[in-house]
Amino acid sequence: SGLFVWSALILTCHQIYLHLSNYTIPNEQRYIIRILFIVPIYSFDSWLSLLLIGNDQYYVYFNSVRDCYEAFVIYSFLSLCFEYLGGESAIMSEIRGKPIKSSCLYGTCCLQGMSYSIGFLRFCKQATLQFCIVKPIMALVTIVLQAYGKYHDGDFNVQSGYLYITIIYNFSVSLALYALFLFYFATKDLLRPFEPVLKFLTIKAVIFLSFWQGMLLAILEKCRVIPEVQIINGEEVGAGTVAAGYQNFINCIEMLFAAIALRYAFTCQVYREKMENSTGNVAPMQSISSGLKETMSPQDIVQDAIHNFSPTYQQYTQQSMQDAEVKTVGQNGPAEPSSRHFAKRKKQIEKMMLISDDEM
């Protein structure tokens, strides 16, 4: 497992370095780098959990960190798709008013007769953001229950916290997946130039399938297909730990294949060519350290959650302002404002671009 883990780490860290070295489109690459970090976090977490599998279920605490980052990745992937298409206003200009096609495959059979509106995009964001809220809360609850001996992996007893946390997780992850399916169904023609299929399938496989894979292993252990108790390093490990060990071992193997898939899905070639062909219209490349700091800041997800769940919600777009920046510079002369000033100005402009409330 260690060989697979370190191979995955080397591949992914090299790809992250390439994106940071060719940081020409920060609005897209910040989300890509966040997604790529899922491999180091998943693989190293699983490997460390394997090494400490017989030590008082320490893997539960490691997995809680992984759970929190999963939510970060789901939000980043949806935000990347929004950025690819130019923001909410650009998407709405293409799909507004079009009827939602009925499809059992994409789960839109119950939406027959409805049409796309800004409310549809808001639902996709809310369904994704709720996963970002539920995951950390459930991770914290898991740690608390673990400390008081009320949580054991694979224990479906009604007196155990595992059953209820699994039910909540299952509902939350299914809702987030459904929202991603709906968004892809609505914008698949617009996203086609960005080759979204491999991106979507890889993200879904890493996060959603690994969750249900863990559930399946827990059920197999409960059905005694997997032995509940084993002796590891001279210590007896209880129910749930064995299934979690198999899950972590499989994750270590899978992460190498995920790293390879992500390398093709989120290639750096386009950004490298843009860097080579740039003549000055592209913003100066930030240092690797400052680019990494900007990438991992959760400020945007907090602001987006507050905005989308606010009872005084206003329909504003988050359209990319790159074209507006070029136009403004061309009209007002060669003077270029600082990136920090432009970021503040961009947010002000975004909040002024309202869509009428009757499209909810």
Side-chain angles (χ1 to χ4, degrees):
S1 62
L3 178 62
F4 281 87
V5 167
W6 286 103
S7 298
L9 285 173
I10 292 172
L11 278 175
T12 306
C13 290
H14 177 255
Q15 188 179 6
I16 291 173
Y17 172 78
L18 289 178
H19 276 283
L20 289 173
S21 300
N22 299 277
Y23 205 52
T24 52
I25 310 181
N27 288 342
E28 293 179 7
Q29 288 175 281
R30 74 163 61 96
Y31 298 122
I32 292 175
I33 293 172
R34 289 175 181 178
I35 293 170
L36 293 176
F37 262 110
I38 194 66
V39 170
I41 290 175
Y42 249 71
S43 57
F44 192 74
D45 175 281
S46 299
W47 188 53
L48 197 59
S49 297
L50 272 179
L51 296 178
L52 301 175
I53 190 172
N55 296 329
D56 299 324
Q57 293 189 326
Y58 285 159
Y59 69 89
V60 174
Y61 304 104
F62 299 140
N63 291 351
S64 297
V65 176
R66 184 180 69 190
D67 289 343
C68 293
Y69 197 77
E70 283 178 359
F72 199 38
V73 169
I74 291 299
Y75 167 81
S76 297
F77 179 67
L78 183 63
S79 297
L80 176 63
C81 293
F82 271 69
E83 195 63 39
Y84 277 152
L85 301 180
E88 292 178 8
S89 65
I91 298 172
M92 285 311 303
S93 67
E94 296 291 337
I95 69 173
R96 179 190 298 154
K98 293 182 179 180
I100 301 178
K101 297 179 180 179
S102 179
S103 171
C104 294
L105 178 62
Y106 289 95
T108 58
C109 51
C110 57
L111 303 178
Q112 188 173 8
M114 300 180 64
S115 59
Y116 294 112
S117 68
I118 189 64
F120 169 81
L121 292 185
R122 187 190 182 192
F123 168 77
C124 293
K125 271 291 185 73
Q126 286 180 329
T128 305
L129 286 166
Q130 62 80 26
F131 186 60
C132 301
I133 297 172
V134 170
K135 269 284 188 177
I137 292 176
M138 290 297 100
L140 180 61
V141 171
T142 299
I143 292 175
V144 174
L145 292 177
Q146 170 74 11
Y148 285 93
K150 298 294 184 181
Y151 180 90
H152 299 283
D153 259 344
D155 186 1
F156 291 95
N157 192 300
V158 293
Q159 296 181 347
S160 173
Y162 177 80
L163 174 64
Y164 305 104
I165 289 177
T166 300
I167 292 174
I168 295 173
Y169 266 158
N170 205 9
F171 176 80
S172 179
V173 74
S174 298
L175 183 60
L177 179 59
Y178 178 61
L180 289 179
F181 263 121
L182 285 180
F183 181 80
Y184 175 73
F185 183 70
T187 61
K188 59 182 179 180
D189 292 333
L190 303 176
L191 286 170
R192 186 171 288 117
F194 304 98
E195 301 178 351
V197 177
L198 181 58
K199 296 178 175 65
F200 182 79
L201 292 179
T202 305
I203 297 298
K204 187 179 75 169
V206 171
I207 294 180
F208 297 110
L209 293 186
S210 66
F211 169 74
W212 287 316
Q213 176 180 275
M215 280 193 60
L216 176 61
L217 289 170
I219 294 172
L220 289 176
E221 185 183 58
K222 194 68 176 178
C223 297
R224 301 186 183 279
V225 176
I226 299 175
E228 288 189 356
V229 179
Q230 289 187 5
I231 304 298
I232 300 178
N233 295 331
E235 297 183 7
E236 184 179 282
V237 296
T241 304
V242 178
Y246 279 112
Q247 166 75 341
N248 287 319
F249 177 76
I250 294 172
N251 281 342
C252 291
I253 307 300
E254 292 173 337
M255 284 305 104
L256 176 58
F257 298 100
I260 295 173
L262 288 171
R263 195 172 185 87
Y264 286 99
F266 298 98
T267 177
C268 187
Q269 185 63 31
V270 175
Y271 307 104
R272 181 186 295 144
E273 292 176 354
K274 188 174 182 65
M275 173 66 70
E276 293 173 353
N277 298 331
S278 63
T279 58
N281 292 329
V282 180
M285 185 184 68
Q286 300 181 11
S287 68
I288 291 179
S289 59
S290 61
L292 185 60
K293 181 180 179 180
E294 176 197 7
T295 294
M296 301 311 294
S297 173
Q299 183 177 2
D300 56 334
I301 189 173
V302 174
Q303 293 177 344
D304 214 9
I306 294 173
H307 164 68
N308 278 276
F309 287 105
S310 172
T312 58
Y313 178 81
Q314 292 291 326
Q315 310 296 326
Y316 73 86
T317 65
Q318 297 180 342
Q319 185 176 8
S320 173
M321 297 301 297
Q322 293 178 352
D323 294 338
E325 179 188 16
V326 174
K327 182 177 179 181
T328 302
V329 171
Q331 291 177 348
N332 299 334
E336 297 183 359
S338 66
S339 58
R340 182 175 298 180
H341 172 77
F342 177 73
K344 292 181 179 179
R345 178 59 180 164
K346 174 182 175 180
K347 291 181 180 179
Q348 294 173 355
I349 297 174
E350 285 175 348
K351 292 184 179 180
M352 293 171 60
M353 300 176 65
L354 303 178
I355 298 177
S356 60
D357 291 335
D358 58 359
E359 293 190 2
M360 279 292 290

